Amino acid sequence: MTVSMCRRLSYVAVLTLAIVAGTATTQSRPNVAAHGMVASPEPLATDVGVAILKAGGNAFDAAAAVQFALAVTYPAAGNIGGGGFMVGLTAVGETFALDFREEAPAASTEDMFVDGDGEMVAGLSTRTHKGVGVPGSVDGMLELVDQYGTLTRADVLAPAIRLARDGFPVSYALAGSLQRNERLRQFASSVEAFGLEGDGPDMGDLLQQPDLAATLEAVARDGRDGFYTGRVADLIVADMQANGGLITHEDLRRYGAEWREPLIFEHAEYQLVTHPVPSSGGMTIAQTLAVLNMPVLERVGYHSAQAISMVTEAQRLAFADRNYWLGDPAFFDVPVTRLLSRDYMEQRRRLLPQNGMAGTSTGVSHGPLESDETTHFTVADRWGNVAAITTTLNSGYGLGAVATGAGFLWNNEMDNFSARPGIPNQYGLLGAEANSVQPGKRPLSSMTPTIVRRFGDFYMTMGSPGGPTIINTVLQIYLNVTVWGMDIQQAIDAPRIHHQWLPDRIDYEPFAISAETRAELERMGYELNERRSIGMAAGIKKTPEGFLAGYADRRGAGTARGY
Ligand code: GLY
């Protein structure tokens, strides 16, 4: 039994509770601090990051510690069984991108998720161990600490190990999320790990995860060998073999996070530093901004029918390209320079509807060329280092299966490949050859960790979960701050809209548009769809005085804290 009631708490757990008691779980204004700031979707993980900063670690040490802590306290998306992308800015102005995305196992095949008729087999990529990609988070975070950190890997892993071994009190948000999740209950290993016998843990129960603690201890002791070879690797391979998964010892041994040149582009007086392919977010935002007529956007006003139409039409074009041209650059020659070139953008701009009516996605394809659950957190320190990390298991709780004996949840990231050109994945995204399944390939992602500089200085950083809605969430936070003059809290809390080419409709959150605006958009020919929530962002912005203002989205139970 890994979950026990509060009245049986150990001394250590009571201490943990005492720390939590001082932690607000929601905030209505940005938290402002002078020396460092952490914004994450889970308060205990935020506190871990702040403690690392206070102990003298830099933003990269703290970011790695938050990533490992989230794997314990935020199992819906925090992970060591998944992967992610990071962009970083150092105190001396160097920028970098780190790709720790999952990889298709060597035994993967292009048609592994379709039947003899070429139809997608329901659930094969999302609900079975065949959907698991070789996990990258452990190697990514160890690389980060090694290259840019100042503490040891044991230092940054210690808080996560403590939380897993000693346990932590289940929050209201986690209790509800675990109790509601049906997929977890289908796997005995997950029922055992999260105490899901009966109704599942209640708020305040102590959740201990001894198997996860042992895995994290192995990483602290042996580095990447503690995960990708040795006992943990044996457990992983045994779990795969028992459940029809593909990952082998060789897949694990071969995996390596990749350092990449960040995708950097200018917009007005701002410079956006984002992740390149196989993340599609930066490219899609760059194309959207290049097509948007900014003076007109400013004139028509925030969330007016014309503004929503302008952003939608730009997104329609950018997502059409995204879904055709983007994929893992090691396997597909992504024409990045051409897609972002001035004359190509001019060609695309000419496709914007000129009659004030909605365009159609069937009329828009990729341009001809000549020649559900993820999470984001961010850390800034007093020296000027900034870390923005988006990390995922793909679906909430990934596959839903804990790796037997190893204590961590499996991703179902293989669903981010295009199973067959023309067949949508779980996000309704259509893909093409660039993103077909191939052994050793990384699936295209929408994760968009972003840092914005202004006149060379750090200005803000943001990111979000939400599959393809990530891209539009990051875009809107950027526009909310730079065009509409919002602070970081207002920019993150503001209701969002989303369009992704196909399906051809505008999704919007409650209160995003008025009844009049909706009627006007419908008159223009748009289909509209209200949905409960889009994205769950975290961000940090520099105040005019040079302080750090952090905020974690009202849509979740996260916190931003600094010192
Ligand atoms: N798994 C969601 C994404 O990578 O965009």
Side-chain angles (χ1 to χ4, degrees):
M1 198 53 187
T2 54
V3 178
S4 57
M5 300 300 290
C6 267
R7 61 179 173 275
R8 285 181 269 127
L9 293 187
S10 65
Y11 172 69
V12 176
V14 172
L15 267 186
T16 311
L17 264 180
I19 294 168
V20 174
T23 306
T25 52
T26 56
Q27 59 184 92
S28 60
R29 298 295 303 147
N31 200 340
V32 180
H35 300 109
M37 179 61 63
V38 181
S40 99
E42 201 286 316
L44 289 170
T46 300
D47 290 349
V48 162
V50 175
I52 292 279
L53 291 177
K54 282 184 174 169
N58 68 14
F60 308 119
D61 298 312
V66 171
Q67 167 88 28
F68 287 124
L70 286 171
V72 182
T73 62
Y74 191 68
N79 68 82
I80 55 171
F85 296 111
M86 165 180 190
V87 292
L89 170 67
T90 70
V92 294
E94 181 196 351
T95 55
F96 62 86
L98 177 60
D99 169 354
F100 54 102
R101 182 75 161 159
E102 300 92 325
E103 230 167 60
S108 309
T109 57
E110 193 168 17
D111 56 1
M112 64 188 281
F113 297 122
V114 294
D115 62 20
D117 299 327
E119 295 297 322
M120 184 107 182
V121 181
L124 198 55
S125 61
T126 51
R127 301 194 167 210
T128 76
H129 284 69
K130 290 212 165 33
V132 180
V134 183
S137 293
V138 170
D139 195 52
M141 290 304 102
L142 295 179
E143 276 285 320
L144 175 64
V145 173
D146 211 36
Q147 291 286 318
Y148 289 97
T150 55
L151 303 181
T152 65
R153 66 170 182 258
D155 292 332
V156 302
L157 275 147
I161 293 170
R162 226 172 13 249
L163 285 161
R165 170 119 6 249
D166 301 337
F168 63 94
V170 173
S171 66
Y172 176 73
L174 179 57
S177 163
L178 287 172
Q179 286 170 11
R180 281 191 302 270
N181 194 293
E182 281 310 314
R183 239 155 1 103
L184 290 171
R185 290 169 198 276
Q186 289 163 14
F187 297 97
S189 54
S190 304
V191 171
E192 162 66 18
F194 298 114
L196 294 175
E197 306 86 3
D199 291 340
D202 283 324
M203 179 172 79
D205 288 355
L206 186 72
L207 177 60
Q208 293 170 301
Q209 300 171 78
D211 287 345
L212 179 55
T215 296
L216 293 167
E217 277 163 352
V219 176
R221 192 181 52 243
D222 301 327
R224 62 162 279 135
D225 286 349
F227 188 84
Y228 294 94
T229 65
R231 177 184 164 275
V232 173
D234 290 345
L235 288 168
I236 289 173
V237 173
D239 195 48
M240 286 289 138
Q241 286 172 353
N243 292 290
L246 302 185
I247 297 173
T248 62
H249 280 291
E250 183 53 24
D251 289 321
L252 292 168
R253 237 190 321 271
R254 223 190 33 220
Y255 183 86
E258 302 267 359
W259 294 101
R260 298 194 187 274
E261 280 301 315
L263 176 67
I264 299 181
F265 58 94
E266 316 288 328
H267 182 251
E269 73 253 43
Y270 304 99
Q271 183 187 62
L272 286 88
V273 181
T274 70
H275 204 286
V277 282
S279 167
S280 64
M283 288 287 293
T284 309
I285 289 179
Q287 285 198 325
T288 305
L289 288 173
V291 160
L292 271 179
N293 184 328
M294 298 309 289
V296 175
L297 183 71
E298 285 182 46
R299 203 169 55 241
V300 296
Y302 176 72
H303 276 206
S304 63
Q306 291 94 325
I308 291 172
S309 169
M310 285 177 70
V311 174
T312 296
E313 296 305 332
Q315 287 168 344
R316 189 195 305 282
L317 293 170
F319 269 89
D321 270 351
R322 172 211 186 272
N323 295 359
Y324 187 82
W325 288 114
L326 305 191
D328 183 341
F331 288 77
F332 184 83
D333 191 11
V334 182
V336 173
T337 312
R338 179 76 183 123
L339 285 170
L340 296 179
S341 67
R342 210 177 273 270
D343 63 327
Y344 181 70
M345 285 293 93
E346 185 49 43
Q347 280 176 35
R348 299 299 271 170
R349 221 174 280 126
R350 279 193 232 117
L351 297 177
L352 292 170
Q354 300 299 325
N355 56 1
M357 301 297 280
T360 57
S361 292
T362 41
V364 168
S365 182
H366 52 88
L369 292 182
E370 296 143 346
S371 43
D372 170 9
E373 295 292 323
T374 295
T375 193
H376 181 84
F377 62 93
T378 183
V379 183
D381 68 25
R382 64 177 185 267
W383 297 288
N385 300 298
V386 180
I389 295 188
T390 312
T391 181
T392 191
L393 291 164
N394 193 31
S395 305
Y397 297 96
L399 172 59
V402 163
T404 307
F408 63 84
L409 276 157
W410 280 125
N411 69 79
N412 57 0
E413 213 68 62
M414 296 286 283
D415 184 63
N416 283 193
F417 283 115
S418 317
R420 264 288 164 83
I423 299 182
N425 70 3
Q426 67 162 330
Y427 300 108
L429 281 172
L430 285 173
E433 212 48 52
N435 190 34
S436 61
V437 186
Q438 288 181 59
K441 190 172 178 180
R442 298 180 185 202
L444 186 65
S445 170
S446 298
M447 293 188 282
T448 316
T450 300
I451 295 172
V452 181
R453 293 201 283 194
R454 184 167 181 258
F455 304 133
D457 288 337
F458 169 64
Y459 184 71
M460 68 187 286
T461 176
M462 67 285 198
S464 175
T469 69
I470 293 172
I471 299 171
N472 297 330
T473 296
V474 170
L475 173 73
Q476 284 165 81
I477 294 168
Y478 169 75
L479 293 175
N480 288 347
V481 170
T482 60
V483 177
W484 309 118
M486 298 184 195
D487 70 24
I488 189 73
Q489 176 251 325
Q490 293 167 323
I492 286 176
D493 279 352
R496 301 185 183 121
I497 56 171
H498 173 71
H499 192 282
Q500 63 179 43
W501 179 49
L502 289 170
D504 186 358
R505 59 156 199 256
I506 298 174
D507 288 339
Y508 67 96
E509 288 185 310
F511 314 115
I513 52 179
S514 67
E516 289 78 13
T517 303
R518 183 182 167 124
E520 175 63 8
L521 286 164
E522 280 169 347
R523 190 195 63 72
M524 293 162 84
Y526 290 103
E527 184 188 328
L528 288 120
N529 172 54
E530 182 175 300
R531 59 190 263 187
R532 201 169 53 83
S533 188
I534 296 177
M536 200 171 84
I540 298 174
K541 181 174 179 298
K542 216 172 198 175
T543 69
E545 304 80 13
F547 299 135
L548 298 164
Y551 189 70
D553 208 317
R554 66 175 166 87
R555 297 164 181 81
T559 47
R561 288 163 65 85
Y563 78 106

